[in-house]
């Protein structure tokens, strides 16, 4: 149900020699109503209902009224009560305590129709016309009441507009009123008509129909031309002489009624004599402005036998409606000097619409038309403000990102990670770079690297293959070092015919380790990318295609040692994160020098690989197996260093005193990695090498 708002209307009618006056009528649009009118009626079976005579005295004023009542209805009381006098009708309305401003009835509840009725000459009266007012209820209602109110009269001949004594009841003037009260025995639709209100030429009337129990109202304004113009003699007196009839198609003018039942439009209805012929009936609409100028707005046309037209989207203002019928070539207006021009008969109606009766789309278009410049300025300002806010937001977001990038996010790690170094024994220089990786992992990454040179030579009675399987099955992190010999070993065709020459007391473990690792990766790729990592040095070749396809994380050392540390500790290390590792400048320099030394060896001896990668049938196997554990009898560091170089063992750690601080730029953030509390037997070593307690990795996101 739609909510309606009240509309006030003022109407006036100009007559010959009379100033224009205005009238006021209250009208409101559709409101929510009790469900009584909207509930579906019971199915109508015409065989069970009959038309009852509404009035036993057969009053001709009510001859068009009808109600349906069940044929079996035998109650002694009448199914309806008629208020046949103004006193009865007004008394009933006054008892209902109705507001003067009732809402408009919703569409489909009732229809209000007003038509002119001709009454011929009799022994006691001249010809005159009546208003036939009919109210039809399409849904259940209890009472239908309508009033006739005179808004304007051209002279004193109108009995309703005159201050007649008969129109006063108990000292109060009551407009003519008729009504009917229906019982529940009446089936709808029900029609209530009254055809005996006198119609005076040029007078303007308002007819208000009130409905109970819905307490709503619909209104119509009516005016008519002269009686001979709406009812020409040739149409109402066919017995007259043909010489007195100008034509079988006489000139005539319609009656005008304006219905305000819709909130977004006005219905214009035209009335005529029943036997009047026409092709079209036209209505011209004019608007009067404050400077007393009249502006033509629209020409509306109704094609006969239709009699109504919808006047859409009208804003508040003063209007003039002029209706005419183009018959026998007549014109709406004839110029003063024109010859042979016949001006059509016309009916005029002035009215004032106090509030806009327009649709939402029309209201939007009208607003843009009236306030286009203001709307453009406001829109431009709002757009400019939004653009400024947009750029301010981008600037704030940029500054925030920059501030976040400069902010140091320090996290001190408290756990050690075990990680196995999987590498190929290319040569002494390459192994030295791997040794530096192991050493830096120990002291700068809170990591315990599992290194074969430490485990398989210094520990007694260790079987390399068993040791390898134990590490692969228990450790959670593995560092795969790519080198030239590793590339050859991973190459399927090359490894079938060639093999890396053994230079240590145990065979190279890179090939069997990679076979197991690759099988593990292919079984669970997602988990493997968190477990295995590839590292390269500056001299290393690219990752072989058969290993690169596994998409394992890859880091270049020593530059990305911080990202390697973050990976080992399961921290974020994406490309949008800037990580700074707290590793001393001396260690970085030493590591870089080792890498450069390997590059120099490659340049001096480009064919070095031929001495390490030989056909299987040409290999000289080193027989360095030992029956008893190796016993070191060296007392000085120099002796131990010489022995380690001879047997390709790790040299003893030298004392390290590092005072230099890690260098970070202003835009780098720092991420701390620190070792857990150490045992008593490690205190001496920490005093010698204390870098692990201050290990820092900086994340700059």
């Amino acid at each position: 149900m739609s909510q309606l708002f009240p509309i006030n209307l003022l109407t006036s009618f100009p007559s010959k020699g009379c100033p224009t006056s205005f009238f006021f009528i209250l009208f409101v649009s559709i409101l929510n109503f009790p469900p009584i009118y909207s509930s579906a009626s019971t199915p109508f079976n015409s065989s069970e209902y009959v038309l009852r005579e509404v009035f036993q005295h057969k009053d001709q004023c009510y001859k068009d009224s009808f109600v349906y009542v069940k044929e079996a209805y035998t109650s002694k009381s009448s199914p309806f009560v008629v208020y046949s006098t103004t006193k009865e009708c007004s008394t009933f309305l006054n008892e209902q305590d109705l507001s003067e401003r009732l809402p408009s009835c919703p569409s489909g509840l009732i229809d209000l129709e007003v038509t002119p009725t001709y009454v011929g000459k009799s022994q006691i009266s001249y010809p005159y016309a009546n208003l036939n007012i009919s109210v039809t209820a399409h849904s259940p209602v209890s009472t239908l009441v309508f009033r006739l109110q005179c808004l304007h009269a051209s002279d004193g001949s109108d009995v309703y507009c005159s201050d007649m004594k008969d129109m006063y009841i108990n000292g109060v003037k009551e407009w003519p009123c008729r009504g009917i009260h229906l019982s529940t025995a009446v089936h709808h639709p029900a029609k209530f008509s009254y055809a005996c209100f006198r119609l005076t030429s040029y007078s303007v009337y308002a007819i208000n129909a009130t409905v109970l129990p819905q307490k709503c109202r619909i209104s119509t304004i009516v005016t008519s031309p002269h009686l001979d113009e709406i009812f020409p003699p040739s149409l109402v007196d066919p017995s007259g002489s043909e010489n007195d009839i100008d034509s079988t198609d006489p000139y005539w003018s319609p009656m005008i009624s304006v219905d305000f039942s819709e909130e977004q439009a006005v219905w214009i209805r035209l009335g005529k004599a029943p036997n009047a012929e026409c092709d079209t009936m036209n209505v011209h609409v004019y608007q009067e402005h404050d400077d007393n100028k009249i502006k033509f707005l629209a020409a509306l046309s109704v094609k006969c036998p239709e009699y109504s037209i919808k006047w859409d989207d009208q804003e508040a203002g003063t209007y003039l409606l002029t209706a005419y019928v183009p018959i026998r070539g007549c014109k709406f207006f004839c110029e003063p000097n024109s010859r042979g021009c016949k001006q059509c008969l016309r009916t005029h109606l002035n009215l004032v619409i106090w509030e806009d009766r327009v649709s939402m789309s029309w209201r939007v278009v009208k607003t843009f038309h009236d306030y286009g410049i203001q709307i453009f300025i406001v829109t431009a300002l709002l757009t400019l403000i939004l653009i400024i806010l947009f750029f301010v937001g981008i600037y704030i977001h940029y500054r925030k990102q920059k501030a976040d990038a400069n902010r140091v996010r320090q996290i001190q790690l408290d756990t050690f990670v075990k990680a196995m170094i999987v590498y190929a024994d290319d040569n002494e220089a390459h192994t030295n770079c791997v040794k530096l990786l192991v050493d830096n992992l120990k002291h700068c990454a809170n990591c315990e690297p599992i290194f074969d040179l430490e485990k398989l030579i210094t520990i007694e009675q260790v079987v390399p293959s068993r040791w390898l399987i134990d590490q692969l099955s228990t450790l959670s992190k593995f560092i795969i070092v790519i080198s030239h010999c590793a590339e050859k070993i991973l190459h399927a065709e090359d490894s079938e015919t060639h093999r890396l020459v053994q230079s240590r007391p145990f065979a190279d473990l890179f090939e069997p380790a990679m076979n197991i690792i690759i099988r593990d990766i292919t079984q669970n790729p997602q988990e493997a990318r968190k477990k295995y990592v590839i590292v390269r040095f500056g001299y290393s070749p690219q990752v072989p295609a058969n290993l690169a396809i596994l998409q394992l994380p890859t880091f270049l050392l020593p530059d990305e040692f911080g990202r390697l540390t973050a990976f080992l500790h399961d921290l974020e290390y994406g490309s949008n994160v800037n990580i700074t590792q707290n590793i001393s400048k001396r260690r970085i320099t030493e590591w870089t020098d080792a890498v450069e030394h390997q590059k120099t060896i490659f340049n001096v001896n480009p064919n070095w690989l031929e001495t390490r990668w030989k056909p299987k049938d040409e290999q000289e196997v080193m027989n360095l197996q030992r029956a008893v554990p190796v016993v070191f009898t060296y007392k000085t560091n120099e002796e131990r260093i010489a022995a380690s170089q001879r047997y390709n063992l790790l040299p003893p750690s030298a004392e390290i005193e590092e005072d230099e601080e890690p260098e970070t730029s202003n835009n780098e953030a720092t991420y701390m990695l620190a070792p857990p509390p150490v045992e008593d037997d490690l205190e001496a070593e920490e005093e010698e090498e204390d870098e692990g307690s201050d290990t820092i990795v900086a994340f700059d996101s």
Side-chain angles (χ1 to χ4, degrees):
M1 309 298 290
S2 59
Q3 183 79 23
L4 294 180
F5 51 89
I7 306 284
N8 293 332
L9 302 161
L10 186 62
T11 305
S12 64
F13 180 81
S15 61
K16 299 178 182 179
C18 295
T20 303
S21 62
F22 298 91
F23 69 89
F24 174 76
I25 226 180
L26 168 65
F27 178 80
V28 253
S29 310
I30 307 171
L31 252 198
N32 290 330
F33 295 100
I36 182 172
Y37 81 88
S38 59
S39 60
S41 301
T42 56
F44 181 65
N45 186 353
S46 59
S47 62
E48 299 180 4
Y49 292 84
V50 294
L51 285 174
R52 291 288 300 267
E53 287 189 35
V54 175
F55 300 97
Q56 299 296 333
H57 52 283
K58 301 185 184 300
D59 193 329
Q60 291 299 311
C61 294
Y62 302 93
K63 62 180 180 179
D64 291 332
S65 301
F66 67 86
V67 293
Y68 286 98
V69 182
K70 279 192 174 183
E71 188 174 9
Y73 182 79
T74 58
S75 175
K76 295 182 179 180
S77 61
S78 175
F80 46 80
V81 176
V82 177
Y83 307 110
S84 57
T85 65
T86 298
K87 183 177 181 180
E88 294 177 353
C89 182
S90 298
T91 301
F92 172 78
L93 288 178
N94 293 334
E95 292 174 352
Q96 304 305 313
D97 191 23
L98 299 176
S99 172
E100 292 185 359
R101 300 195 173 198
L102 293 179
S104 179
C105 292
S107 177
L109 178 60
I110 62 172
D111 290 334
L112 174 61
E113 182 180 0
V114 181
T115 57
T117 302
Y118 180 79
V119 180
K121 182 179 180 180
S122 65
Q123 294 180 353
I124 59 174
S125 67
Y126 289 100
Y128 62 93
N130 283 335
L131 281 174
N132 186 357
I133 304 173
S134 297
V135 181
T136 304
H138 300 283
S139 297
V141 298
S142 62
T143 307
L144 297 174
V145 179
F146 55 79
R147 280 186 182 276
L148 174 69
Q149 180 179 357
C150 180
L151 302 176
H152 170 76
S154 59
D155 52 39
S157 61
D158 192 310
V159 294
Y160 305 114
C161 291
S162 302
D163 193 14
M164 295 184 63
K165 184 177 181 181
D166 294 340
M167 297 185 64
Y168 284 82
I169 301 175
N170 298 327
V172 179
K173 186 175 183 179
E174 298 285 355
W175 296 107
C177 175
R178 295 294 184 271
I180 187 173
H181 179 77
L182 305 174
S183 71
T184 56
V186 175
H187 194 284
H188 295 79
K191 184 178 181 181
F192 178 60
S193 298
Y194 187 76
C196 292
F197 288 145
R198 183 68 62 90
L199 175 62
T200 303
S201 301
Y202 308 121
S203 294
V204 180
Y205 306 97
I207 302 171
N208 300 320
T210 303
V211 181
L212 298 177
Q214 288 81 359
K215 293 185 178 181
C216 62
R217 179 177 294 166
I218 60 175
S219 302
T220 295
I221 299 172
V222 179
T223 190
S224 70
H226 192 273
L227 182 63
D228 291 340
E229 294 178 2
I230 191 173
F231 294 108
S234 58
L235 294 179
V236 298
D237 189 12
S239 61
S241 173
E242 292 185 1
N243 296 331
D244 298 333
I245 301 176
D246 296 333
S247 170
T248 57
D249 191 14
Y251 294 101
W252 58 276
S253 182
M255 181 188 74
I256 299 179
S257 64
V258 179
D259 184 356
F260 302 100
S261 300
E262 292 194 20
E263 64 178 31
Q264 296 181 357
V266 173
W267 279 95
I268 300 175
R269 293 185 171 86
L270 305 176
K272 65 183 184 66
N275 55 348
E277 296 182 358
C278 63
D279 293 327
T280 61
M281 293 184 287
N282 299 332
V283 178
H284 286 189
V285 181
Y286 301 86
Q287 185 175 13
E288 181 179 349
H289 296 277
D290 295 337
D291 53 3
N292 294 327
K293 292 184 178 180
I294 302 296
K295 178 183 177 182
F296 175 77
L297 288 184
L300 309 177
S301 181
V302 180
K303 187 174 182 179
C304 299
E306 297 294 331
Y307 62 91
S308 62
I309 187 170
K310 192 176 183 180
W311 184 24
D312 294 308
D313 296 331
Q314 295 307 316
E315 60 182 341
T318 304
Y319 295 92
L320 170 64
L321 307 181
T322 301
Y324 69 98
V325 183
I327 302 174
R328 295 166 52 195
C330 68
K331 303 295 183 182
F332 174 74
F333 180 76
C334 290
E335 296 292 340
N337 298 328
S338 61
R339 294 184 178 180
C341 177
K342 179 67 173 180
Q343 186 166 283
C344 301
L345 300 178
R346 296 174 294 185
T347 305
H348 305 279
L349 175 63
N350 279 30
L351 73 157
V352 173
I353 301 178
W354 293 100
E355 295 184 11
D356 294 339
R357 306 177 65 82
V358 297
S359 61
M360 183 58 67
S361 59
W362 185 95
R363 196 182 300 274
V364 172
V365 173
K366 179 65 175 177
T367 302
F368 273 96
H369 179 270
D370 294 342
Y371 304 100
I373 297 178
Q374 295 88 331
I375 293 176
F376 173 78
I377 294 174
V378 172
T379 304
L381 290 176
L382 290 177
T383 304
L384 181 61
I385 293 173
L386 290 177
I387 293 175
I388 294 174
L389 292 176
F390 175 75
F391 282 106
V392 169
I394 292 179
Y395 176 75
I396 294 175
H397 180 68
Y398 170 77
R399 289 295 301 270
K400 184 177 182 298
Q401 283 188 332
K402 189 174 181 181
D404 291 342
N406 294 332
R407 187 178 68 245
V408 175
R409 182 165 64 97
Q410 297 183 349
I411 301 178
Q412 187 170 6
L413 300 178
D414 56 0
T415 59
F416 278 86
V417 178
K418 286 186 176 182
M420 181 179 179
I421 310 299
V422 183
Y423 72 105
D425 182 27
D426 287 29
N427 52 36
E428 184 179 351
H430 172 66
T431 303
N432 186 46
C433 291
V434 177
K435 291 177 182 178
L436 291 174
L437 169 61
V438 172
D439 186 61
N440 290 325
L441 287 174
K442 286 181 179 180
H443 297 91
C444 304
N446 283 33
C447 182
E448 181 183 343
I450 308 301
F451 190 31
D452 56 0
L453 286 181
E454 294 178 343
K455 304 297 181 181
L456 299 181
I457 295 179
T458 61
I459 302 178
E460 298 180 4
Q461 299 177 352
V462 175
V463 179
S465 59
R466 289 289 303 274
W467 174 84
L468 176 63
I469 294 299
D470 289 342
Q471 309 310 314
L472 292 174
S473 60
T474 58
L475 297 181
S476 60
K477 299 291 182 181
F478 295 85
I479 302 175
I480 304 171
V481 182
I482 297 298
S483 63
H484 292 80
C485 289
E487 181 184 25
K488 291 292 186 180
I489 294 172
L490 290 172
H491 195 280
E493 295 181 359
D494 290 347
S495 61
E496 287 182 359
T497 58
H498 290 67
R499 182 168 295 179
L500 184 65
V501 175
Q502 182 176 342
S503 63
R504 297 180 293 191
F506 54 88
D508 191 84
L509 301 178
F510 182 77
E511 181 177 0
M514 289 305 300
N515 291 337
I516 298 175
I517 288 173
I518 291 176
R519 183 169 62 251
D520 183 37
I521 295 174
T522 55
Q523 291 177 354
N524 195 345
Q526 295 295 333
E527 291 298 325
R529 294 187 183 101
K530 301 178 182 179
K531 182 177 181 181
Y532 302 99
V533 61
I534 299 173
V535 298
R536 297 172 55 250
F537 297 110
Y539 56 82
S540 301
Q542 295 297 325
V543 181
N546 56 357
L547 188 58
I549 196 173
L550 301 178
Q551 298 181 353
L552 299 178
T554 304
F555 303 115
L556 180 64
L557 300 180
D559 297 341
E560 295 183 324
F561 183 71
R563 293 184 181 274
L564 174 62
T565 304
F567 170 84
L568 295 176
H569 289 274
D570 295 322
L571 301 174
E572 183 182 4
Y573 61 91
S575 59
N576 62 335
V577 179
N578 184 21
I579 305 175
T580 301
Q581 174 72 36
N582 186 24
I583 183 171
S584 67
K585 185 183 295 184
R586 184 193 62 78
R587 286 183 176 275
I588 292 294
T589 302
E590 182 182 1
W591 206 353
T592 304
D593 291 343
V595 173
E596 293 298 327
H597 178 64
Q598 176 73 309
K599 291 182 180 179
T600 303
I601 293 176
F602 291 166
N603 294 332
V604 173
N605 184 14
N607 299 323
W608 69 273
L609 190 58
E610 296 177 359
T611 64
R612 300 290 296 132
W613 187 253
K614 290 185 178 183
K616 294 181 178 180
D617 54 357
E618 296 181 5
Q619 289 194 37
E620 299 177 0
V621 179
M622 294 182 63
N623 189 9
L624 299 178
Q625 296 180 355
R626 52 187 170 86
V628 294
V630 176
V631 179
F632 295 96
T633 59
Y634 306 100
K635 298 181 179 180
T636 65
N637 287 338
E638 289 76 9
E639 292 175 346
R640 288 195 294 270
I641 291 173
S644 66
Q645 292 177 349
R646 179 181 177 184
Y647 295 106
N648 199 20
L649 301 177
L650 287 175
S653 301
E655 291 186 4
I656 301 174
E657 294 181 1
E658 301 181 40
D659 298 329
E660 59 269 33
E661 296 293 332
E663 293 185 355
T664 57
S665 63
N666 292 333
N667 293 331
E668 290 179 337
T670 305
Y671 184 81
M672 296 288 295
L673 297 182
V678 296
E679 302 296 335
D680 295 337
D681 56 353
L682 298 178
E683 290 181 356
E685 182 180 350
E686 286 195 352
E687 291 177 356
E688 186 175 335
E689 291 267 353
D690 59 352
E691 296 174 11
S693 61
D694 294 326
T695 303
I696 296 177
V697 175
F699 279 81
D700 183 6
S701 55

